[in-house]
Amino acid sequence: MIYRESGQFKTSYAADQAMFPIRQDRIFIALLLVAAVAVVPVVVSEYAIRSILMPFLILSIAAIGLNLLLGYCGLISLGTAAFMAVGAFSAYKLATGIPDLPIVLNFILAGLVTAVVGMAFGLPSLRIKGFYLAVTTLAAHFFVEWTITKFGWFTNYSPSGVISAPPLDVFGIAIDSTTEKYWFVLAWVLVLAVLAKNLVRSSVGRAWMAVRDMDVAAAVIGVPILKTKLLAFAVSSFYCGIAGALYVFAYIGTVEPQAFDLNRAFQVLFMVIIGGLGSILGSFFGAAFIVTLPIFITLAAAPFGGQIPAEVLSNLELIIFGILIVFFLIVEPLGLARLWQIGKEKLRLWPFPH
Amino acid sequence: MALRKLATALLAAAALGLPGAVQAQQNDGTQFMLVNAYWTGPFAAGGSAFGGGMIDYYRMLNERDGGINGVKLSWEKCETQYQNDRIVECYERFKGHNGGLALFHPMSTGGAYAVLERAQKDLIPVITIGYGRTDASDGRVFPYKFPMLTNYWSQNTAKIRFMGAQEGGMDKLKGKKIANVYLESAYGKETIPVLDEQAKRYGFSVQHFAVAAPGLDQKAVWLQIARQLRADWVILRGWGVMNPAALKEAERVGFAREKIVGVWWSGSEEDVVPAGDAAEGYISAAFNGSGTHFPVIQDVIKHVYDKGNGELPRERLGQVFYARAMVWAIISAEAIRDAQAMFGKRPVVGKEVQQALEKFAMTPERVKKLGAEGLVPPFSLSCKDHEGGAAVRFQQWKGGKWVPIGDWVAVDKDMVRPMIEASAAAYAKEKSLTPRSC
């Protein structure tokens, strides 16, 4: 009844190409943005921002990056954590090597470095497909981890291999408090998400999808396979690199290469699968699911702390988390984004389902 | 529809769950202690003993003495899985809980790095006993970090002294080959600079072998050590599942276990029992004694386990990790007792505990009074020295139990301290901090 698009006419090309064609969606997104920018820092506690929202936002960027590669271009990668590490350590080296470099430029450069690395490891994708490609990107993971721990140059010869991020400032304004860091991360998320959304609607995104659905057919209709696949790797790695840099600079503050271990790569992969392959919105859903669910389970289990032995409780949390993942995948194998879509379609018909 | 109900239920749980945790809570008259440990994951063998042991001790204090000077202790558990981001999450979730944290045990070297700056800002002392950022021993640069008892570098000097003693004098180390097998992590890498320095000083050669976490695959490393390098001694700097794997590989390639000296994170029952016979003769360092014969552990058994309130199976009570948890809990409780003596008999906050810790002294008499003789070595801290430099002892795994070898070995403070000061000064410069003068 409320969510109905009757009476909304598209009278120009611009209106036809709008990112959110339905007015109610636009209003909803606008309200969400206002809430995220203005309401959240006031209402939500510092703990929730620092420990839940920040990792959620940062890992959303990584999930979008992987989704572009896996969901849109059909190239499976386990190198996400490695690319995050490349981004993190490049940003660190740039920040300590050229202290005067503006941080935004620094992050973009770090993203570009990651893009180059990603392209190099994307080359085998021209010949290798499916699970075999996953194995070659696994090689990228171990290579990057080994390189960073082996050569002290990457950590400025820190004896323990831990880097600690220099203070953040954007055009002379120190990004110090939790709220400022939150805004900084949010700004990156917004820009990158809008960019990704438009990228997949453009000719580039269509070429990716063509390659994903059938690369021989795509080649026949004139999509340059080499360029398309490498571009997908480059853009995906760029996103992961930025996520890695933000992880160090805005979230944890100090990081060792082990923060980007294989578990991280799987974590992001699960976000994409649970959120929905080939959906930018799904990346956010997936990130929210994976980041916040364990914390909620822990908090929900807290009242039982006295009765159940600690090790049972901790393992139970993992079990519940696993069961929920399986449950959601059985109920909706196409991910949370598909659930959202179904919900929207139902809402359009409501309250007359037939 | 069912799905929508589920989603609503989840949201409701979220809405209920969050506020409970996030409010900055008023103090309820008890001293709040956070026990963040890891009951799951590859390092759970250690984590469960640390968490359980500390809670056992706090519970014993409540039962036996009614808390510390009448102030009862209260605690919360927090699962970290030995992951840095979860440690930070625990820290953030509980730092303002019930009047605020008086001190924080990260229980992981990486975690110690991750919370260092936050804790400095929040004025909460970070206590890392037997682990964690070595150069933080310089209290002038790191006022809120206390790597107590003996840091990794000091421990390492004791280890080389022990090897020297076994060879028949420090000069006999000349020309010897030592292999350093370490877990590739912040913890594993910390001793590389001090070993290189010692190699120069004593004329032995050292080669470093990194083992990727969690450390189950070490075939190539041990082949190289035994056949190619033909090392005289091996320093095992492992953690968790890496240790039994190392001992088994050493047996496979025929490297004498009597020539492997583990750090204290490689020297518990959990590290050797899974290796079976392969562990026989293996040597490790220790900063604490173990067993159940200490009066303090007897008190825990009497006041906690006999009432059925224990956190762990009884058979773990005499183990090395349990004893270590006792050491941590005793020092934490005593720091709070000292802070109460300075600021009044009430729940104390981080800032007060920090001041108490800088004057903290664990004298032999105090150790005896606590019933922990042989469990906690005597040491004292100052504003400048946050370590204490306690002596180290070595133990050998023989016939199913740890047997102490020789006496406590003193650490080489003269060698380590300048390195710590140089490293801390470099950190201060990088962060543009002005060290305190004291």
Side-chain angles (χ1 to χ4, degrees), chain B residues 214-351:
Chain B
L216 287 168
D217 182 22
Q218 300 174 38
K219 275 200 173 59
V221 167
W222 285 95
L223 263 179
Q224 227 177 324
I225 290 171
R227 304 277 157 78
Q228 222 172 334
L229 179 68
R230 296 182 181 279
D232 296 294
W233 287 93
V234 170
I235 293 177
L236 179 61
R237 215 175 151 67
W239 176 218
V241 291
M242 171 178 165
N243 296 322
L247 293 173
K248 280 189 202 156
E249 288 301 332
E251 185 193 37
R252 200 193 305 271
V253 297
F255 189 85
R257 263 45 51 74
E258 291 78 13
K259 295 287 181 185
I260 305 176
V261 181
V263 289
W264 47 54
W265 297 116
S266 309
S268 73
E269 285 77 5
E270 283 82 353
D271 297 315
V272 287
V273 170
D277 292 341
E280 191 67 20
Y282 163 64
I283 299 168
S284 92
F287 64 76
N288 58 293
S290 60
T292 52
H293 55 282
F294 305 104
V296 59
I297 296 190
Q298 285 301 321
D299 274 353
V300 170
I301 292 175
K302 188 173 142 208
H303 292 283
V304 180
Y305 281 82
D306 286 349
K307 290 181 185 165
N309 292 330
E311 290 282 323
L312 292 163
R314 263 176 194 253
E315 60 269 22
R316 294 189 69 182
L317 263 49
Q319 295 183 343
V320 172
F321 279 159
Y322 191 81
R324 202 160 291 167
M326 284 295 126
V327 174
W328 292 355
I330 289 171
I331 292 174
S332 310
E334 289 311 298
I336 285 169
R337 198 184 297 277
D338 279 10
Q340 283 185 351
M342 289 164 78
F343 299 98
K345 289 176 179 157
R346 55 171 170 77
V348 288
V349 295
K351 211 164 82 179

Side-chain angles (χ1 to χ4, degrees), chain A residues 32-48:
Chain A
L32 193 70
L33 276 182
V34 171
V37 173
V39 182
V40 163
V42 184
V43 177
V44 178
S45 73
E46 202 187 326
Y47 156 72

